[in-house]
Amino acid sequence: MTVSMPNLTEANKATVVAALSKYAGVRKDSYVWDMQAKTLTLKYDSMQIAQANIRYAIDEKGVKVAFPEKTDNRAGY
């Protein structure tokens, strides 16, 4: 998955890593940062954690996350 963080800075990277470190299912060795696009791409196990939980974990630590917008009436994104 790719998480978009419009205000991402180098200083925020440690905060994001710390926010996700306590969650099983997030592959810590898979982080790929794109500072120009202000995104983090990572791998995770959807049977252990949902994409929304990953986004909320980051957002709750003060690093603003761009959540996907719903485009239809179905559940999920």
Side-chain angles (χ1 to χ4, degrees):
M1 75 174 282
T2 299
V3 181
S4 178
M5 295 167 273
N7 301 319
L8 181 65
T9 65
E10 285 290 331
N12 295 138
K13 288 168 67 172
T15 303
V16 172
V17 170
L20 298 178
S21 67
K22 65 181 177 179
Y23 292 99
V26 177
R27 296 244 336 256
K28 283 82 174 164
D29 63 339
S30 70
Y31 295 174
V32 177
W33 300 93
D34 184 336
M35 296 308 293
Q36 187 170 7
K38 302 209 181 275
T39 62
L40 166 62
T41 301
L42 58 90
K43 294 180 182 180
Y44 70 101
D45 181 347
S46 63
M47 297 302 287
Q48 294 185 305
I49 189 167
Q51 284 189 13
N53 295 94
I54 293 170
R55 288 186 176 95
Y56 281 119
I58 296 167
D59 200 69
E60 288 175 350
K61 292 297 183 185
V63 180
K64 182 69 178 149
V65 172
F67 288 84
E69 293 184 27
K70 284 188 65 77
T71 58
D72 58 30
N73 291 328
R74 295 183 300 159
Y77 293 94

